[in-house]
Amino acid sequence: MTPKAAPKANPKANPKAAPKALTGWFRRHIVAIAGLLTLAYLILPNIVVMVFSFNKPAGKFNYSWREFSTHAWQDPCGVADMCGSLALSLQIALWSTIGATVLGSMIAFALVRYRFRARGAINSLIFLPMAMPEVVMAASLLTLFLNLGAELGFWTVLIAHTMFCLSFVVVAVKARVLSMDPRLEEAARDLYAGPVQTFLRVTLPIAAPGIAAGALLAFALSFDDFIITNFNSGSTVTFPMFVWGSAQRGTPVQINVIGTAMFALAVLIVVAGQLISGRRKKSAPTG
């Protein structure tokens, strides 16, 4: 004879079973719940900006909902000097990202692959711009530029942003280089590949995700920076400085439009990167 299956617990028959089941489900999914709540907390301000980009405020300040309108989306450059400051911020972010990525990648490879004097001290100094308050670094750079007699403007902001973003690139690339298997490069040299060929065909493709992550982080930090820019800009007005100045006398809806567009672009880049990575993993041969 086969033993009979144990009858399922009926929550109605046992009033204590339902709270215990709910508690057990909550314990099993607490990490996922915490992650979703954190994600919602982070995305909520972006949703508010997105919603108010379709608002038609009654006055100068876009702080209360009045009426749905797409006028700001139809004319995103309707506010004087806003698109000019946006183009300037994008230009500074692009050039500072290129400079910080190139210099940061070389520093990361040097710190991981080579042994030299003061290597430990340089490793420690790399973290100083990340740990130091921005206002301290901004004041220090301003003092340096004034002592050198440099005219504050585009170039001082570019140099300041490059120095500020450099540490973040070094950390991102260094983490990737440390995880690389040196036997792959040894195998390339065993197959008579030269140093340049080994770097271009083996080392660089493996380190590319870390370099890309550092570049994206540097671009975001440079485009968003206000404190360092405000100290060293002179008469140059970037987009964050334009937003700050507009908040004193009125916040046009076009600011929300630009913010929403930048957020959507960042999401598209991340999603595209994930899709490309997933396809590469699927197409990779399995051993």
Side-chain angles (χ1 to χ4, degrees):
M1 294 179 64
T2 57
K4 295 182 179 180
K8 294 183 178 180
N10 187 2
K12 294 182 179 180
N14 186 5
K16 296 182 179 180
K20 288 183 178 180
L22 182 61
T23 304
W25 180 90
F26 185 79
R27 287 179 178 177
R28 291 192 301 269
H29 298 87
I30 187 163
V31 176
I33 294 173
L36 290 175
L37 290 175
T38 304
L39 184 62
Y41 176 76
L42 293 174
I43 294 180
L44 182 60
N46 298 288
I47 295 176
V48 173
V49 170
M50 189 182 304
V51 170
F52 275 82
S53 67
F54 295 97
N55 186 29
K56 186 178 181 181
K60 296 182 179 180
F61 296 94
N62 186 25
Y63 294 152
S64 58
W65 181 263
R66 178 176 173 268
E67 181 184 348
F68 179 84
S69 174
T70 59
H71 175 73
W73 283 92
Q74 296 172 5
D75 188 17
C77 294
V79 181
D81 299 330
M82 191 184 72
C83 283
S85 63
L86 175 63
L88 181 62
S89 286
L90 291 173
Q91 185 179 1
I92 292 174
L94 177 62
W95 287 112
S96 63
T97 298
I98 294 174
T101 303
V102 173
L103 294 175
S105 299
M106 292 191 294
I107 293 173
F109 274 98
L111 291 175
V112 174
R113 296 295 180 84
Y114 299 97
R115 300 291 182 270
F116 51 88
R117 290 183 179 180
R119 178 172 172 267
I122 293 176
N123 263 320
S124 301
L125 290 174
I126 288 296
F127 289 95
L128 278 182
M130 301 172 63
M132 184 186 303
E134 280 193 50
V135 65
V136 176
M137 186 174 183
S140 301
L141 288 170
L142 176 61
T143 303
L144 174 65
F145 291 139
L146 292 178
N147 287 331
L148 293 176
E151 183 180 356
L152 299 181
F154 174 85
W155 291 106
T156 55
V157 174
L158 179 61
I159 294 171
H161 282 206
T162 303
M163 294 179 65
F164 172 65
C165 298
L166 187 62
S167 298
F168 295 90
V169 177
V170 172
V171 172
V173 178
K174 184 181 174 183
R176 182 65 179 178
V177 175
L178 285 171
S179 64
M180 291 173 56
D181 189 354
R183 292 176 295 182
L184 297 175
E185 295 172 303
E186 293 175 2
R189 288 192 292 267
D190 290 340
L191 295 173
Y192 302 102
V196 177
Q197 194 174 14
T198 301
F199 178 79
L200 294 178
R201 296 195 175 186
V202 179
T203 308
L204 187 59
I206 298 175
I211 297 175
L216 290 175
L217 182 60
F219 184 88
L221 290 170
S222 175
F223 180 82
D224 187 55
D225 184 78
F226 171 77
I227 298 177
I228 293 177
T229 306
N230 190 35
F231 271 74
N232 301 277
S233 61
S235 60
T236 303
V237 179
T238 60
F239 184 68
M241 295 181 63
F242 177 86
V243 174
W244 179 80
S246 298
Q248 312 301 315
R249 56 186 183 274
T251 51
V253 186
Q254 282 81 357
I255 290 178
N256 297 64
V257 172
I258 298 300
T260 302
M262 295 298 294
F263 175 72
L265 180 62
V267 171
L268 288 176
I269 292 175
V270 172
V271 172
Q274 292 296 324
L275 292 176
I276 294 173
S277 177
R279 288 183 179 180
R280 286 181 177 179
K281 289 181 180 179
K282 289 181 179 179
S283 62
T286 56

